[in-house]
Amino acid sequence: METLLFMIIVGIISAIFGKAKSNQGQSKNKPFSMNGMEDIRKLFNELTNNEPRETSPMEESSKISPIKAEQKVEKLQTNLNNLEKEYLKVRQESESSRIGMAISRQQSEKLKDQAKTERHEEGETIISEYPDAKTLVNGIVWSEILGEPRSKKPYFAKRG
């Protein structure tokens, strides 16, 4: 029974790793780049360039004057600049919060270390003279875990 379960587990694991190995070079998602705004600018410039494209009859009847087109391009560029500013603002806020969290973690670790040294300086010990029942049970469990292995202490049942 155990060997059957073992073989099933080995088969599942090998199937998972086989799929991962075959899909290793093929990523469905574009990897994250730190130059995200440059990618957005390139896309924006590609979309705003006056490239020839197919137009529908509705578009042909309502062509926009060059002045209005320039105004739209300027409006889109200001929107892009606003988006860049918001992106940088959010990025700075996240970085500052991350740094703040790291500083607070370091301060809490310092306080814990100071508290430990103060307890040891006052003469308190970690081991209590009168442990409670839960501590005693935990001590017995840990002595079994850390103690000599069962194979070193064979148990022979009396037959008879």
Side-chain angles (χ1 to χ4, degrees), residues 34-85:
M34 293 301 289
N35 301 327
M37 293 309 295
E38 290 178 16
D39 294 339
I40 293 172
R41 279 187 185 153
K42 287 178 185 176
L43 181 63
F44 178 75
N45 289 335
E46 289 175 5
L47 293 174
T48 57
N49 287 343
N50 294 329
E51 297 175 0
R53 58 184 177 117
E54 296 179 14
T55 57
S56 65
M58 291 289 282
E59 290 177 351
E60 290 178 8
S61 64
S62 63
K63 289 193 175 186
I64 301 172
S65 67
I67 296 172
K68 288 184 180 180
E70 289 177 10
Q71 290 174 349
K72 284 188 176 185
V73 168
E74 289 176 7
K75 185 177 179 181
L76 289 173
Q77 288 177 344
T78 56
N79 287 342
L80 178 65
N81 290 335
N82 291 339
L83 284 174
E84 287 176 358
K85 289 176 185 177

Side-chain angles (χ1 to χ4, degrees), residues 3-155:
T3 56
L4 181 63
L5 288 174
F6 180 73
M7 295 301 287
I8 291 172
I9 292 171
V10 168
I12 291 172
I13 291 173
S14 64
I16 290 171
F17 282 117
K19 287 180 183 178
K21 191 173 183 181
S22 66
N23 294 335
Q24 191 174 19
Q26 303 170 357
S27 175
K28 292 181 182 178
N29 299 329
K30 184 178 180 182
F32 177 75
S33 67
M34 293 301 289
N35 301 327
M37 293 309 295
E38 290 178 16
D39 294 339
I40 293 172
R41 279 187 185 153
K42 287 178 185 176
L43 181 63
F44 178 75
N45 289 335
E46 289 175 5
L47 293 174
T48 57
N49 287 343
N50 294 329
E51 297 175 0
R53 58 184 177 117
E54 296 179 14
T55 57
S56 65
M58 291 289 282
E59 290 177 351
E60 290 178 8
S61 64
S62 63
K63 289 193 175 186
I64 301 172
S65 67
I67 296 172
K68 288 184 180 180
E70 289 177 10
Q71 290 174 349
K72 284 188 176 185
V73 168
E74 289 176 7
K75 185 177 179 181
L76 289 173
Q77 288 177 344
T78 56
N79 287 342
L80 178 65
N81 290 335
N82 291 339
L83 284 174
E84 287 176 358
K85 289 176 185 177
E86 288 181 35
Y87 169 75
L88 292 174
K89 181 181 173 184
V90 169
R91 185 174 171 189
Q92 288 174 350
E93 288 175 0
S94 65
E95 287 177 1
S96 63
S97 66
R98 183 174 45 97
I99 291 170
M101 288 171 51
I103 290 171
S104 65
R105 188 176 339 124
Q106 289 175 351
Q107 289 175 348
S108 66
E109 288 175 2
K110 282 183 181 178
L111 290 175
K112 287 179 185 177
D113 291 341
Q114 288 175 355
K116 285 181 182 179
T117 56
E118 287 175 1
R119 274 191 254 140
H120 290 293
E121 289 174 359
E122 293 174 2
E124 291 183 16
T125 59
I126 297 173
I127 301 171
S128 174
E129 292 181 26
Y130 305 103
D132 59 342
K134 186 176 179 181
T135 306
L136 291 174
V137 170
N138 285 338
I140 293 170
V141 169
W142 279 107
S143 69
E144 287 296 320
I145 292 171
L146 300 174
E148 193 174 352
R150 186 73 187 133
S151 62
K152 299 283 183 172
K153 302 182 286 184
Y155 177 76

